[in-house]
Amino acid sequence: MQCLICDSLLSDNGRDYVIDETMFRIGQSFRYRECEQCGSINLAEKISDDTKLYPDNYYSFSVDPAETFNGFLPRLLASAMAKSSLKGNRLFLGFMFRYAPMREVRTLASILLSISAAYSGSVSKRILDVGTGSGVLPFVLSLAKRSYTLGIDPFLATEKKAKHFELKQASIQDIHETFNLILFNHSLEHMHDIEQSLAHAKSLLEPGGTIIVRIPTVSSQAWDTYRENWFQLDAPRHTCIPSRKGLTQLASSCGLQIMNNYDDSTDTQFWLSEAVAKGLSTMDATTGYTAYLTNTHSRQKKRSMKREARKNNSEHRGDQTVLTLRTT
Ligand SMILES: [Zn+2]
């Protein structure tokens, strides 16, 4: 078995981890092996077809964007965020990432911030969102009316076509049109052919085009601290959680250059991993843990977790990172 990131053989000397499925607590655990060469953690067993990995209440599919942004104010806000992102304006998005009261809005802001960071003076006219879920990002970007975004997901239930966005049930390998910007928002780590998928994405780039990868990483304080309870392991949906060394090797083996790299981890790395350690499910709404504002941590603890996340990001020790890639 090969490491999905650096392609070296996963030897028997590599350290093994047994990791519980914690999103739905289906009562199964899965074996992962550390790559001795690059340090990435790879799923080391076959998943049976009976394991329903992406049920209807899987978080990326449970939000209907048209419904969420139906009201005047949410739509106005989302449209302003999309315009800021496509113009490369970071101030407003940075504010939303830090202070928006809803976690979903902060997450959206961090995705839009990654797009604005890749902005190079020209508008990204054609955007591909790989692993789009229910299509929140293509929908939000369409509100700016400046671009066309195709959202693809192999588990998409309803396809959609509008002027500024489209949603298709597809994998990256099914796509043959070209794009100015291709996004992997926490989707690359779900694939069984990571290197081939990234290499194929590269072949779809217009000249001067950009790929953005947002991905969890084991080169982080959260992995070192929480290990099997780190919530971003997401066994067995994540086929591989890369190290930073592995990501550098992956980019270079795909003929891509890392133009920019920063961490955008949040306080979630602490409180959700602590919830997992207590045996809770990351999706169980009744625990109150999925709703950060209604959980029981003191204000002081919340403030210190946010501070700790910012410190981790500044030291490249956050539990998720953002890579901007261009053709070498
Ligand atoms: Zn490796």
Side-chain angles (χ1 to χ4, degrees):
M1 202 177 168
Q2 248 83 1
C3 171
L4 289 175
I5 296 292
C6 77
D7 208 32
S8 43
L9 200 69
L10 292 174
S11 82
D12 290 341
N13 301 329
R15 186 166 171 190
D16 278 355
Y17 295 92
V18 176
I19 299 167
D20 293 343
E21 192 283 336
T22 59
M23 188 173 277
F24 305 102
R25 291 282 180 195
I26 59 174
Q28 281 179 261
S29 38
F30 301 87
R31 198 164 50 81
Y32 279 70
R33 179 163 290 180
E34 191 173 71
C35 169
E36 280 198 301
Q37 197 286 122
C38 80
S40 300
I41 306 291
N42 287 262
L43 178 65
E45 60 179 275
K46 283 255 176 292
I47 303 303
S48 108
D49 292 341
D50 310 337
T51 310
K52 259 205 144 260
L53 296 182
Y54 301 96
D56 293 342
N57 61 334
Y58 182 64
Y59 74 103
S60 316
F61 296 106
S62 59
V63 182
D64 177 2
E67 209 169 281
T68 309
F69 300 101
N70 190 24
F72 176 72
L73 265 179
R75 216 177 168 92
L76 189 74
L77 192 69
S79 162
M81 286 169 74
K83 280 179 190 156
S84 294
S85 175
L86 294 169
K87 284 182 186 168
N89 182 349
R90 301 177 56 80
L91 205 65
F92 174 52
L93 292 171
F95 179 83
M96 295 303 281
F97 174 57
R98 212 158 151 173
Y99 300 111
M102 285 165 70
R103 184 151 77 103
E104 292 78 1
V105 180
R106 293 198 297 272
T107 303
L108 181 62
S110 64
I111 297 169
L112 293 171
L113 267 172
S114 73
I115 297 175
S116 71
Y119 179 79
S120 60
S122 62
V123 179
S124 290
K125 289 199 178 74
R126 291 178 52 80
I127 302 170
L128 176 65
D129 184 29
V130 184
T132 197
S134 60
V136 172
L137 187 64
F139 181 84
V140 167
L141 288 173
S142 79
L143 297 175
K145 298 189 172 70
R146 296 172 68 93
S147 56
Y148 159 84
T149 308
L150 170 62
I152 56 166
D153 202 300
F155 303 100
L156 187 84
T158 321
E159 299 197 332
K160 218 172 237 176
K161 195 174 163 85
K163 190 178 172 195
H164 291 282
F165 81 102
E166 194 174 344
L167 303 178
K168 269 190 202 167
Q169 191 200 57
S171 300
I172 179 87
Q173 309 286 358
D174 304 323
I175 303 299
H176 302 285
E177 309 141 68
T178 56
F179 297 89
N180 307 103
L181 178 62
I182 300 177
L183 302 158
F184 290 89
N185 273 311
H186 286 263
S187 59
L188 199 60
E189 69 274 23
H190 291 252
M191 297 177 185
H192 291 270
D193 49 0
I194 291 178
E195 192 181 344
Q196 294 86 331
S197 296
L198 192 58
H200 186 70
K202 187 209 163 200
S203 77
L204 303 179
L205 279 183
E206 286 281 346
T210 305
I211 296 175
I212 297 172
V213 175
R214 294 183 67 240
I215 197 160
T217 176
V218 289
S219 310
S220 59
Q221 190 233 347
W223 167 244
D224 290 350
T225 307
Y226 300 112
R227 291 284 153 171
E228 285 90 338
N229 292 319
W230 175 39
F231 89 99
Q232 297 239 46
L233 291 171
D234 197 16
R237 281 164 288 270
H238 288 178
T239 55
C240 183
I241 305 99
S243 66
R244 293 174 197 272
K245 180 185 172 189
L247 285 171
T248 305
Q249 290 177 353
L250 175 70
S252 121
S253 66
C254 291
L256 291 161
Q257 197 180 347
I258 301 174
M259 308 300 290
N260 186 19
N261 174 219
Y262 66 93
D263 291 6
D264 65 350
S265 79
T266 69
D267 44 11
T268 309
Q269 66 193 297
F270 310 114
W271 61 264
L272 205 45
S273 301
E274 283 167 23
V276 168
K278 285 180 192 153
L280 296 172
S281 137
T282 56
M283 281 303 278
D284 186 354
T286 59
T287 63
Y289 273 87
T290 49
Y292 175 72
L293 285 177
T294 57
N295 73 27
T296 49
H297 297 309
S298 69
R299 276 171 94 157
Q300 198 184 6
K301 183 161 184 206
K302 285 179 185 175
R303 261 204 303 271
S304 87
M305 286 190 292
K306 280 180 189 284
R307 214 172 24 240
E308 195 67 17
R310 282 198 294 275
K311 182 169 174 280
N312 280 347
N313 291 345
S314 69
E315 293 169 352
H316 277 282
R317 294 282 292 150
D319 74 341
Q320 52 185 35
T321 195
V322 186
L323 299 143
T324 307
L325 307 165
R326 297 237 169 97
T327 306
T328 45

